[in-house]
Coordinates of all heavy atoms in Angstrom, one line a residue:
R370 N -17.3 60.4 -62.9 CA -18.7 60.4 -63.4 C -19.6 59.7 -62.5 O -20.7 60.1 -62.2 CB -18.8 59.8 -64.8 CG -20.1 60.0 -65.5 CD -20.2 59.2 -66.8 NE -20.3 57.7 -66.5 CZ -21.4 57.1 -66.0 NH1 -22.5 57.8 -65.8 NH2 -21.3 55.8 -65.8
R371 N -19.2 58.5 -62.0 CA -20.0 57.7 -61.1 C -20.2 58.3 -59.7 O -21.3 58.2 -59.1 CB -19.5 56.3 -61.0 CG -19.5 55.5 -62.3 CD -19.0 54.1 -62.2 NE -18.9 53.5 -63.6 CZ -18.5 52.2 -63.8 NH1 -18.2 51.5 -62.7 NH2 -18.4 51.7 -65.0
L372 N -19.1 58.9 -59.2 CA -19.3 59.6 -57.9 C -20.2 60.8 -58.0 O -21.0 61.0 -57.1 CB -17.9 60.1 -57.5 CG -16.9 59.0 -56.9 CD1 -15.6 59.6 -56.7 CD2 -17.5 58.4 -55.6
Q373 N -20.1 61.5 -59.2 CA -21.1 62.7 -59.3 C -22.5 62.2 -59.5 O -23.4 62.8 -58.9 CB -20.7 63.4 -60.6 CG -21.4 64.7 -60.8 CD -21.1 65.7 -59.6 OE1 -19.9 66.0 -59.4 NE2 -22.1 66.2 -58.9
E374 N -22.7 61.0 -60.1 CA -24.0 60.4 -60.3 C -24.6 60.1 -58.9 O -25.8 60.3 -58.6 CB -23.9 59.2 -61.1 CG -25.3 58.6 -61.5 CD -25.1 57.3 -62.4 OE1 -24.5 56.3 -61.9 OE2 -25.5 57.4 -63.5
R375 N -23.8 59.6 -58.0 CA -24.2 59.3 -56.7 C -24.6 60.5 -55.9 O -25.6 60.6 -55.2 CB -23.1 58.5 -55.9 CG -22.9 57.1 -56.4 CD -21.8 56.5 -55.5 NE -21.5 55.1 -56.0 CZ -20.6 54.3 -55.4 NH1 -19.9 54.7 -54.4 NH2 -20.4 53.1 -55.9
A376 N -23.8 61.6 -56.1 CA -24.1 62.8 -55.4 C -25.3 63.5 -55.9 O -26.1 64.1 -55.1 CB -22.9 63.7 -55.5
D377 N -25.6 63.3 -57.2 CA -26.8 64.0 -57.8 C -28.1 63.2 -57.5 O -29.2 63.9 -57.6 CB -26.6 64.2 -59.3 CG -25.4 65.1 -59.6 OD1 -25.0 65.9 -58.7 OD2 -24.9 65.1 -60.7
D378 N -28.0 61.9 -57.3 CA -29.2 61.1 -57.2 C -29.6 60.8 -55.7 O -28.8 60.2 -55.0 CB -29.0 59.8 -57.9 CG -30.3 58.9 -58.0 OD1 -31.3 59.2 -57.3 OD2 -30.3 58.0 -58.8
P379 N -30.7 61.4 -55.3 CA -31.1 61.2 -53.9 C -31.2 59.7 -53.5 O -30.9 59.3 -52.3 CB -32.4 61.8 -53.7 CG -32.4 62.9 -54.8 CD -31.7 62.3 -56.0
E380 N -31.5 58.8 -54.4 CA -31.6 57.4 -54.2 C -30.3 56.7 -54.1 O -30.2 55.6 -53.6 CB -32.5 56.7 -55.2 CG -33.9 57.1 -55.2 CD -34.6 56.8 -53.9 OE1 -34.3 55.7 -53.4 OE2 -35.4 57.6 -53.4
K381 N -29.2 57.4 -54.5 CA -27.9 56.8 -54.5 C -26.9 57.5 -53.5 O -25.8 57.0 -53.3 CB -27.2 56.8 -55.9 CG -28.0 55.9 -56.9 CD -27.2 55.9 -58.2 CE -27.9 55.0 -59.2 NZ -27.2 55.0 -60.5
R382 N -27.4 58.5 -52.8 CA -26.5 59.3 -51.9 C -26.0 58.5 -50.7 O -25.0 58.8 -50.1 CB -27.2 60.5 -51.5 CG -27.3 61.6 -52.6 CD -28.1 62.8 -52.2 NE -28.2 63.8 -53.3 CZ -29.0 64.8 -53.3 NH1 -29.8 65.0 -52.3 NH2 -29.0 65.6 -54.4
W383 N -26.8 57.4 -50.4 CA -26.4 56.6 -49.3 C -25.1 55.9 -49.6 O -24.3 55.5 -48.6 CB -27.5 55.5 -49.0 CG -27.7 54.5 -50.1 CD1 -28.5 54.6 -51.1 CD2 -27.0 53.3 -50.2 NE1 -28.5 53.5 -51.9 CE2 -27.5 52.7 -51.4 CE3 -26.1 52.6 -49.5 CZ2 -27.1 51.4 -51.9 CZ3 -25.7 51.3 -49.9 CH2 -26.2 50.8 -51.1
K384 N -24.7 55.7 -50.8 CA -23.5 55.1 -51.2 C -22.3 56.1 -51.1 O -21.1 55.6 -51.1 CB -23.5 54.6 -52.7 CG -24.5 53.6 -53.0 CD -24.5 53.1 -54.5 CE -25.4 52.1 -54.8 NZ -25.3 51.7 -56.2
F385 N -22.6 57.4 -51.0 CA -21.5 58.4 -51.1 C -20.9 58.6 -49.7 O -21.6 58.8 -48.7 CB -22.1 59.7 -51.7 CG -21.0 60.7 -52.1 CD1 -20.6 60.7 -53.4 CD2 -20.4 61.5 -51.2 CE1 -19.6 61.5 -53.8 CE2 -19.5 62.4 -51.6 CZ -19.0 62.4 -52.9
S386 N -19.6 58.7 -49.7 CA -18.9 59.0 -48.4 C -17.9 60.1 -48.6 O -17.3 60.2 -49.7 CB -18.2 57.7 -47.9 OG -17.3 58.0 -46.9
A387 N -17.7 61.0 -47.6 CA -16.7 62.0 -47.8 C -15.3 61.4 -48.0 O -14.4 61.9 -48.6 CB -16.7 62.9 -46.5
G388 N -15.1 60.2 -47.4 CA -13.9 59.5 -47.6 C -13.6 59.1 -49.0 O -12.4 58.9 -49.4
D389 N -14.6 59.0 -49.9 CA -14.4 58.7 -51.3 C -13.6 59.7 -52.0 O -12.7 59.4 -52.8 CB -15.8 58.6 -52.0 CG -16.6 57.4 -51.5 OD1 -16.0 56.4 -50.9 OD2 -17.8 57.4 -51.7
L390 N -13.8 61.0 -51.6 CA -13.1 62.1 -52.2 C -11.6 62.1 -51.7 O -10.7 62.4 -52.5 CB -13.8 63.4 -51.9 CG -15.2 63.5 -52.5 CD1 -15.8 64.9 -52.1 CD2 -15.3 63.3 -54.0
A391 N -11.5 61.8 -50.4 CA -10.1 61.8 -49.9 C -9.3 60.7 -50.5 O -8.1 60.9 -50.9 CB -10.2 61.6 -48.4
E392 N -9.9 59.5 -50.7 CA -9.2 58.4 -51.3 C -8.9 58.6 -52.8 O -7.9 58.2 -53.3 CB -10.0 57.1 -51.1 CG -10.1 56.6 -49.7 CD -8.8 56.4 -49.0 OE1 -8.0 55.5 -49.4 OE2 -8.5 57.1 -48.0
R393 N -9.8 59.3 -53.4 CA -9.6 59.6 -54.8 C -8.3 60.4 -55.1 O -7.7 60.3 -56.1 CB -10.8 60.4 -55.4 CG -10.7 60.8 -56.8 CD -12.1 61.4 -57.3 NE -11.9 62.1 -58.6 CZ -11.8 61.5 -59.8 NH1 -11.8 60.2 -59.9 NH2 -11.7 62.3 -60.9
K394 N -8.0 61.3 -54.1 CA -6.7 62.1 -54.2 C -5.5 61.2 -54.2 O -4.4 61.6 -54.7 CB -6.6 63.1 -53.1 CG -7.7 64.2 -53.2 CD -7.6 65.1 -52.0 CE -8.7 66.2 -52.0 NZ -8.7 67.1 -50.9
L395 N -5.6 59.9 -53.8 CA -4.5 59.0 -53.7 C -4.6 58.0 -54.9 O -4.0 56.9 -54.8 CB -4.6 58.2 -52.4 CG -4.5 59.1 -51.1 CD1 -4.8 58.3 -49.9 CD2 -3.1 59.8 -51.0
W396 N -5.2 58.4 -55.9 CA -5.4 57.5 -57.1 C -4.1 56.9 -57.6 O -4.0 55.6 -57.8 CB -6.1 58.3 -58.2 CG -6.4 57.5 -59.4 CD1 -5.5 57.2 -60.5 CD2 -7.6 56.8 -59.8 NE1 -6.1 56.4 -61.4 CE2 -7.4 56.2 -61.0 CE3 -8.8 56.7 -59.1 CZ2 -8.4 55.4 -61.6 CZ3 -9.8 55.9 -59.8 CH2 -9.6 55.3 -61.0
S397 N -3.1 57.7 -57.8 CA -1.9 57.1 -58.3 C -1.2 56.2 -57.4 O -0.6 55.1 -57.8 CB -0.9 58.3 -58.6 OG -1.4 59.2 -59.6
S398 N -1.3 56.4 -56.1 CA -0.7 55.5 -55.1 C -1.5 54.2 -55.1 O -0.9 53.1 -55.0 CB -0.8 56.1 -53.7 OG 0.0 57.3 -53.6
Y399 N -2.8 54.2 -55.2 CA -3.6 53.0 -55.2 C -3.2 52.2 -56.5 O -3.1 51.0 -56.5 CB -5.1 53.3 -55.2 CG -5.6 53.4 -53.8 CD1 -6.0 54.6 -53.2 CD2 -5.8 52.2 -53.0 CE1 -6.5 54.7 -52.0 CE2 -6.3 52.3 -51.7 CZ -6.6 53.6 -51.2 OH -7.1 53.7 -49.9
R400 N -3.1 52.9 -57.6 CA -2.8 52.2 -58.9 C -1.5 51.5 -58.8 O -1.4 50.4 -59.2 CB -2.8 53.3 -60.0 CG -2.7 52.7 -61.4 CD -2.6 53.9 -62.4 NE -2.4 53.4 -63.7 CZ -3.3 53.3 -64.6 NH1 -4.6 53.4 -64.3 NH2 -3.0 52.9 -65.9
A401 N -0.5 52.2 -58.2 CA 0.9 51.6 -58.1 C 0.8 50.4 -57.2 O 1.5 49.3 -57.4 CB 1.8 52.6 -57.5
E402 N 0.1 50.4 -56.1 CA 0.0 49.3 -55.1 C -0.7 48.1 -55.8 O -0.3 47.0 -55.6 CB -0.7 49.7 -53.8 CG 0.2 50.6 -53.0 CD 1.5 50.0 -52.6 OE1 1.6 48.8 -52.4 OE2 2.5 50.8 -52.6
Y403 N -1.8 48.4 -56.5 CA -2.5 47.3 -57.2 C -1.6 46.6 -58.2 O -1.6 45.4 -58.4 CB -3.8 47.8 -57.8 CG -4.9 47.7 -56.9 CD1 -5.7 48.8 -56.6 CD2 -5.3 46.5 -56.4 CE1 -6.8 48.7 -55.7 CE2 -6.4 46.4 -55.5 CZ -7.1 47.5 -55.2 OH -8.2 47.4 -54.3
E404 N -0.7 47.4 -58.9 CA 0.2 46.8 -59.8 C 1.1 45.8 -59.1 O 1.4 44.7 -59.6 CB 1.0 47.8 -60.6 CG 0.1 48.6 -61.6 CD 0.9 49.7 -62.3 OE1 1.9 50.1 -61.8 OE2 0.4 50.1 -63.4
K405 N 1.6 46.2 -57.9 CA 2.5 45.3 -57.2 C 1.7 44.1 -56.7 O 2.2 42.9 -56.8 CB 3.0 46.1 -55.9 CG 3.9 47.2 -56.3 CD 4.3 48.0 -55.0 CE 5.1 49.2 -55.4 NZ 5.4 50.1 -54.1
I406 N 0.5 44.3 -56.2 CA -0.3 43.1 -55.7 C -0.6 42.1 -56.9 O -0.4 40.9 -56.7 CB -1.7 43.7 -55.2 CG1 -1.5 44.4 -53.8 CG2 -2.7 42.5 -55.0 CD1 -2.7 45.1 -53.3
L407 N -1.0 42.6 -58.0 CA -1.4 41.7 -59.1 C -0.1 40.9 -59.6 O -0.2 39.7 -59.8 CB -1.9 42.5 -60.3 CG -3.2 43.3 -60.0 CD1 -3.6 44.2 -61.2 CD2 -4.4 42.4 -59.7
G408 N 1.0 41.6 -59.6 CA 2.2 40.9 -60.0 C 2.7 39.9 -59.0 O 3.2 38.8 -59.4
A409 N 2.6 40.2 -57.7 CA 3.2 39.4 -56.7 C 2.3 38.2 -56.3 O 2.8 37.2 -55.7 CB 3.4 40.2 -55.5

Side-chain angles (χ1 to χ4, degrees):
R370 189 192 69 78
R371 293 182 188 181
L372 285 173
Q373 189 64 56
E374 186 180 66
R375 289 181 181 182
D377 293 341
D378 187 346
E380 292 298 320
K381 293 184 178 181
R382 286 175 182 167
W383 65 271
K384 297 181 179 181
F385 196 93
S386 166
D389 293 340
L390 301 180
E392 295 301 298
R393 179 172 163 80
K394 294 177 181 178
L395 301 171
W396 181 274
S397 296
S398 296
Y399 273 106
R400 186 181 176 98
E402 288 305 320
Y403 269 121
E404 289 179 338
K405 295 174 186 175
I406 288 169
L407 298 174

